[in-house]
Structure formats: C-alpha cells, structure tokens
Amino acid sequence: EPDFVVLAKTDFADIPNNSAKIFAWGGVPGIYLKKEDGTVAALRGVCTHMECNVAYRPEEKKFYCACHQGWFDDTGKNIAGPPPKPLEFFEVLEKGEKLIIARKGAKVDLAKV
C-alpha cells in the first residue's frame, strides 16, 4: 500500500456534510469522510478484524463492517463486534487543486507533488 495518494480536489468538492466517498488506496478502498460539521477526514476503508471493507452509515454516523457486524464511530474507534483496534486514519493535505491523503508520519515532499 502507498504512503500517500494524490487526488483531484474537485472530485471531492461537492460531497455533502455527513457523507463519504471512496477513493483508491493501493489495492484497498480509502474513504474520504465529510462530517456533519463540515470537517474532513480520510481513512483506510477496511476493518481491523479480517480486512473486509467497511461502509459509512450516515444515518448513524458510524462505519460498519458487514462480514462480522463490526462497528466504528466516526473517529474510527472500534465500538462493537470483533474488531480489535480502531480504523487507520490518514492526514489530509491540500496543495492548489490537489488533495494529498497520506499515512500519518509519512514524508510527503509537497514541492514534488
């Protein structure tokens, strides 16, 4: 999996509050989340239990893994089911019209992006 991905900011500009959009994070889905208050976050879209994909449930403001009924709150904390640890959240950076999603602590040279 990559340390970071570069996306077009315009592809995510029209996301309504309390909704999510999938993006490619290597061979697994990434999830770009726009919370109800308008703040944004990005995360690796797979469960920490057995790597099944998770989905954002806006009506509950939670992430759900259908494989074994795992639940995470909108901060990624595991709150129900078998997941042993929280979801992995990424850093969200902006440069001009680019959106950079990076693993926490990854070195991203913005001059080269």
Side-chain angles (χ1 to χ4, degrees):
E1 291 181 24
D3 283 336
F4 67 93
V5 295
V6 179
L7 307 168
K9 191 168 29 171
T10 54
D11 290 345
F12 298 86
D14 62 347
I15 297 175
N17 289 10
N18 192 35
S19 63
K21 183 173 183 174
I22 303 295
F23 64 90
W25 179 262
V28 300
I31 299 176
Y32 182 88
L33 173 67
K34 190 169 184 184
K35 295 184 179 185
E36 194 166 58
D37 65 3
T39 59
V40 298
L43 60 138
R44 188 172 183 265
V46 295
C47 184
T48 57
H49 176 231
M50 298 207 46
E51 299 282 313
C52 294
N53 294 347
V54 298
Y56 184 66
R57 297 276 181 95
E59 63 280 358
E60 292 151 327
K61 297 182 187 74
K62 296 176 187 170
F63 293 95
Y64 177 64
C65 177
C67 288
H68 302 104
Q69 290 74 50
W71 287 92
F72 303 85
D73 67 15
D74 67 352
T75 69
K77 181 181 175 188
N78 45 324
I79 55 174
K85 59 185 180 179
L87 296 170
E88 180 183 3
F89 271 68
F90 303 132
E91 292 186 53
V92 179
L93 310 165
E94 293 184 20
K95 181 184 178 196
E97 292 304 309
K98 296 176 184 171
L99 192 61
I100 300 105
I101 310 294
R103 284 191 189 277
K104 293 189 185 247
K107 301 225 184 242
V108 179
D109 186 350
L110 293 177
K112 293 182 180 179
V113 174

